[in-house]
Each structure stands twice: as structure tokens, then as C-alpha cells.
């Protein structure tokens, strides 16, 4: 059973960089797309971007200028960096596996608050 | 971006009832439509993929249909554990977008 677990700071200051890591266990990272999705409190879901196991990436244009997703296959991890954060970036951040046209496995989510 | 619009935004129903949630895409997405269930404080859970395929382990009371721009999620006989928020999501093209959610509450 594939499992994903997010980790990283729960509090980030405005204008700084939000950094999260997702650790994958119970399955191979090969030949899948590994995504980040966020959900502001009480709101809907926003796809941030993904990285393929080969290292190719695709980002949501609304965040593209501030987002970097990277992968470390040797550690079974992929990471999200979101720069120049504001209060609008406060959200629960999920990592997820994109199987064939679907997000089939999700982490439990981690709340990141942007505040000084 | 492809906009996904769900209706209704909220719904009250009783155990045993049959309910339907609708999702409309702003352009044709063929059958590339997924449905997720989210309970409070939990991650979304995949229910239906490519419009009508039941994800492994999901009860058969859940079903999906549609193609093009109009899709539906049906729960044939509501169980107490089904009261949650439901989201549709298009996987036709990037950026992958979600509906705003339908909150299903107990009447």
C-alpha cells in the first residue's frame, strides 16, 4: 500500500520561502507524477504542480513564477518550494500521486500558516 | 483554465436516500473527470475516475456518469459514513482543476 507523508515547518514568515517534503513508502516512485495540492481553510482544492519520476515538471500558471518542485528518488522523496509567500498562501498542503488521470494516493496534509 | 462548477453547493438528505451531485466543465473534457470524498480534517479520497470507473475498495452504492461537459455522481442509498464534502476534478488538461465542492449533510 502506497503511503505519502508531508513534513516541514508549520509557520512561515511573509516574504520567505515555504519548503515541504513528501516521503513516499510502500511503492516505487518510477513512472508516476508526484503532485502538490493545497486547500486554504474552509475553501476548495488547488493543484500546485507535479514532477514526473524523470524530473520533468508542470506547474499551475497562477503560481509558476514562485514554485519549484524537485525529486530525490534515492530518498523516495519529492519537495515543494514556494517563494515570497503571503497570508494568501496559508493552507493545508497535500502531496499526492497522480496515477493514470487520477490522484489516487494522498498524504494526510500539513497546515502551513504564513504569519509574522 | 477549465472551470469546474458543482451543484448544489450543499445538500441535506437522510440515510437511505438516493442523491445526485452535478459537475459541469467550462469546455469538453471527454471522460476525464474524477470524484473525491473529503471528511473533515482528512485528505480527499478518490471514489470515481474517468467519469464512471469505481476506484478499488469503494462501495458500489457510488456511481458516476457523463461525458463532454456534464457529469453526475450518484449515491444510491446514503449511509451515515457518506456525509462529507464531494469534489469533482478534471484531468483533461493542465492546470488540473477542481469543483468548489458539495457539502452533504444529514437531514
Amino acid at each position: 500500500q502506497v503511503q505519502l507523508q508531508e513534513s516541514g515547518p508549520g509557520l512561515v514568515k511573509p516574504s520567505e520561502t515555504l519548503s515541504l517534503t513528501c516521503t513516499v513508502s510502500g511503492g516505487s516512485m518510477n513512472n508516476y507524477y508526484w503532485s502538490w495540492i493545497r486547500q486554504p481553510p474552509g475553501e476548495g482544492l488547488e493543484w500546485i504542480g507535479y514532477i514526473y519520476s524523470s524530473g520533468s515538471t508542470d506547474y499551475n500558471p497562477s503560481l509558476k513564477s514562485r514554485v519549484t518542485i524537485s525529486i530525490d528518488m534515492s530518498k523516495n522523496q519529492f519537495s515543494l518550494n514556494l517563494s515570497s509567500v503571503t497570508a494568501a498562501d496559508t493552507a493545508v498542503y497535500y502531496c499526492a500521486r497522480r496515477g493514470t488521470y487520477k490522484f489516487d494516493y494522498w498524504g494526510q496534509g500539513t497546515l502551513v500558516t504564513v504569519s509574522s | 483554465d477549465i472551470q469546474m462548477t458543482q451543484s448544489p453547493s450543499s445538500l441535506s438528505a437522510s440515510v437511505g436516500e438516493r442523491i445526485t451531485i452535478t459537475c459541469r466543465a467550462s469546455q469538453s473534457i471527454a471522460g476525464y473527470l474524477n470524484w473525491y470524498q473529503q471528511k473533515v480534517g482528512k485528505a480527499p479520497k478518490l471514489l470515481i475516475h474517468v467519469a464512471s470507473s469505481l476506484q478499488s475498495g469503494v462501495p458500489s452504492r457510488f456511481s458516476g456518469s457523463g461525458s463532454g461537459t456534464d457529469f453526475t455522481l450518484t449515491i444510491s442509498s446514503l449511509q451515515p459514513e457518506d456525509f462529507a464534502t464531494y469534489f469533482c476534478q478534471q484531468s483533461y488538461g493542465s492546470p488540473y482543476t477542481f469543483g468548489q465542492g458539495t457539502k452533504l449533510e444529514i437531514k
Side-chain angles (χ1 to χ4, degrees):
Chain A
Q1 175 80 344
V2 175
Q3 294 185 316
L4 293 84
Q5 177 68 57
E6 304 89 351
S7 59
L11 180 64
V12 181
K13 290 182 168 56
S15 79
E16 295 189 345
T17 296
L18 179 160
S19 295
L20 296 173
T21 295
C22 182
T23 301
V24 179
S25 60
S28 172
M29 294 190 74
N30 281 317
N31 301 317
Y32 286 102
Y33 296 87
W34 301 94
S35 286
W36 289 97
I37 296 163
R38 70 180 183 178
Q39 186 173 35
E43 297 186 27
L45 296 156
E46 180 180 34
W47 175 75
I48 298 169
Y50 65 55
I51 188 164
Y52 189 58
S53 53
S54 65
S56 62
T57 56
D58 188 15
Y59 301 136
N60 192 321
S62 68
L63 297 167
K64 188 173 185 176
S65 63
R66 300 193 290 130
V67 172
T68 303
I69 298 176
S70 58
I71 193 166
D72 187 339
M73 301 278 285
S74 68
K75 293 183 179 179
N76 272 18
Q77 293 178 334
F78 63 106
S79 299
L80 169 70
N81 279 357
L82 180 66
S83 64
S84 305
V85 295
T86 69
D89 295 309
T90 293
V92 175
Y93 285 76
Y94 295 100
C95 58
R97 187 183 85 168
R98 182 174 177 257
T100 307
Y101 303 117
K102 58 189 176 183
F103 297 110
D104 53 3
Y105 290 96
W106 296 64
Q108 65 186 24
T110 187
L111 175 63
V112 179
T113 302
V114 178
S115 175
S116 55
Chain B
D1 297 6
I2 300 173
Q3 305 302 317
M4 306 302 294
T5 304
Q6 288 181 234
S7 61
S9 295
S10 63
L11 176 60
S12 293
S14 302
V15 172
E17 271 192 60
R18 177 187 180 94
I19 67 100
T20 297
I21 298 169
T22 296
C23 180
R24 175 163 289 174
S26 60
Q27 66 179 73
S28 177
I29 58 170
Y32 297 104
L33 190 283
N34 304 317
W35 289 98
Y36 302 85
Q37 176 194 67
Q38 186 178 35
K39 297 184 178 179
V40 173
K42 299 295 187 182
K45 172 188 173 183
L46 178 66
L47 299 176
I48 303 284
H49 57 101
V50 290
S52 59
S53 293
L54 195 67
Q55 177 69 358
S56 177
V58 174
S60 59
R61 62 181 181 272
F62 292 91
S63 63
S65 65
S67 66
T69 59
D70 294 316
F71 301 85
T72 59
L73 171 70
T74 299
I75 309 175
S76 60
S77 177
L78 279 170
Q79 299 302 300
E81 60 269 28
D82 298 337
F83 292 93
T85 299
Y86 292 84
F87 293 94
C88 61
Q89 175 252 324
Q90 64 83 14
S91 55
Y92 180 79
S94 175
Y96 305 102
T97 46
F98 293 81
Q100 82 279 13
T102 295
K103 186 174 184 179
L104 178 57
E105 298 175 308
I106 300 175
K107 185 183 287 185

